[in-house]
Amino acid sequence: MKKALVILLILAVAGGVFAQINFTGTLSAGLVGVFNKDQDPTIGIRSPRNDSPLRFDLNGAWAKDDGLSGFNFTLRTEGTPGHNVFASTVAIDNLYGWVSLLDKMVTIYGGKTNNNGNFATVGGVQDNLATGVGDGFFARIVPMTGLEFGVGVYSRSYITTATGLGGLTLANARYNFGVAYTVPQVVTVIGLLRQGQNEPNAAHLADQTLDSGKFTDAGIGFKILSLTSVGITALNVDAYFFDLQQVAKFSTVKIGELLNYANGDLSAGIRFMQQFQIGDSAAKYADLTFVGNVQYLVNGFILPRLDVGFNMGTSGLGGIYSGMWNLVGKNGFSEKGMNLGIAPSVAFRYGNANNTLEFGYIFQKDLTANADNMRNSVYVEMKTSF
């Protein structure tokens, strides 16, 4: 009888907590037809803007009444391009608990974390060096209004025996450090540093001189906040320096700029990135990317939009369009490479801006000399949220 009462008490407590969890969710699905030169047309399930055939995210958040502890999670199910979409599996995208200490001056996150907050730049590069993201612990420290520090320790290897076999050494775990300082209505400055080993990252190009998979990366970004009165909603600059531990042999530098403008229902944006390599084994030419967009909201629910992109320094078409930045191929370091992308679309909003039905056309062309690559795609995509 006592055991039954204990079980009922546990279930009652768990049910009470479950009832307090704030759930949100997003479903996206699309259908794309691709027409490549000299190939048969193909059609398949795909959401062009998130690079997945079908995706559903279920987010949950809970916090105690005093606001000093809680947990967050995201369960994601999605299909894999090229496979049966109904063979999708459910994965934990993030699952972490958090606790605030010292009158909320310090907040510690632990688990599979995904909470970088202000520790991300949003210029032309747009990176966060995985600050606040990974399997481990992350601490956010706010000693004064406008100033934040972040420190994280992460590992993708798990200790499997009492002797520690299977785990990374302390020297080879990933460490993240960040600082963000905001002068209200003037500027936000962000600095990031990452050190680690064996962390998959597209920025670490397939260079065989990389020392044992170790790396040291750094980033800095500026957000200008003083121009909103004239319609400039974003004026951001950032720069990143990858593989600094071996700069004499091979290192990558990315510099980017982002400008967004809004006036009533009209909005437009441009984004630039300049990518260079330095060192004895580096490419002697740059990879330069530009993408711009303009859109106008008609009657509060019809949104026509045009995206245009151009790249110098990468040949080939890259992947099928996956949002504004991936309209053109990049990161290839091809000396005479060039490519162009044009994507008109129209979206219909139903309910609110998070629920859309979008129709679009994507033109991608490799402009490299003697190249004959071209891709035409048409798509329809639905997104709905709650």
Side-chain angles (χ1 to χ4, degrees), residues 117-173:
N118 286 327
F119 300 112
T121 67
V122 287
V125 182
Q126 295 193 7
D127 205 335
N128 57 38
L129 296 184
T131 304
V133 180
D135 299 334
F137 281 82
F138 181 68
R140 187 188 309 276
I141 305 162
V142 186
M144 57 180 286
T145 302
L147 178 63
E148 294 184 44
F149 295 96
V151 180
V153 181
Y154 299 96
S155 173
R156 288 187 181 273
S157 294
Y158 302 90
I159 292 177
T160 56
T161 73
T163 61
L165 294 177
L168 294 175
T169 66
L170 289 177
N172 292 335

Side-chain angles (χ1 to χ4, degrees), residues 93-147:
D93 194 53
N94 66 70
L95 175 61
Y96 61 90
W98 57 269
V99 57
S100 292
L101 308 169
L102 303 176
D103 197 25
K104 298 187 178 181
M105 182 181 296
V106 178
T107 302
I108 299 174
Y109 306 83
K112 185 177 177 62
T113 66
N114 187 359
N115 194 327
N116 48 53
N118 286 327
F119 300 112
T121 67
V122 287
V125 182
Q126 295 193 7
D127 205 335
N128 57 38
L129 296 184
T131 304
V133 180
D135 299 334
F137 281 82
F138 181 68
R140 187 188 309 276
I141 305 162
V142 186
M144 57 180 286
T145 302
L147 178 63

Side-chain angles (χ1 to χ4, degrees), residues 35-52:
F35 306 86
N36 287 338
K37 186 176 181 180
D38 300 326
Q39 294 182 4
D40 291 335
T42 58
I43 188 170
I45 299 173
R46 188 184 182 93
S47 295
R49 290 192 181 274
N50 67 21
D51 202 26
S52 171

Side-chain angles (χ1 to χ4, degrees), residues 16-89:
V17 172
F18 185 83
Q20 298 178 49
I21 297 176
N22 180 34
F23 288 100
T24 59
T26 301
L27 172 68
S28 60
L31 193 65
V32 180
V34 180
F35 306 86
N36 287 338
K37 186 176 181 180
D38 300 326
Q39 294 182 4
D40 291 335
T42 58
I43 188 170
I45 299 173
R46 188 184 182 93
S47 295
R49 290 192 181 274
N50 67 21
D51 202 26
S52 171
L54 177 67
R55 175 181 293 177
F56 176 68
D57 287 344
L58 177 65
N59 310 300
W62 174 84
K64 289 185 66 176
D65 292 339
D66 58 12
L68 297 180
S69 61
F71 63 81
N72 296 66
F73 65 85
T74 297
L75 300 178
R76 170 171 292 176
T77 178
E78 62 180 340
T80 302
H83 295 76
N84 188 335
V85 67
F86 298 107
S88 304
T89 58

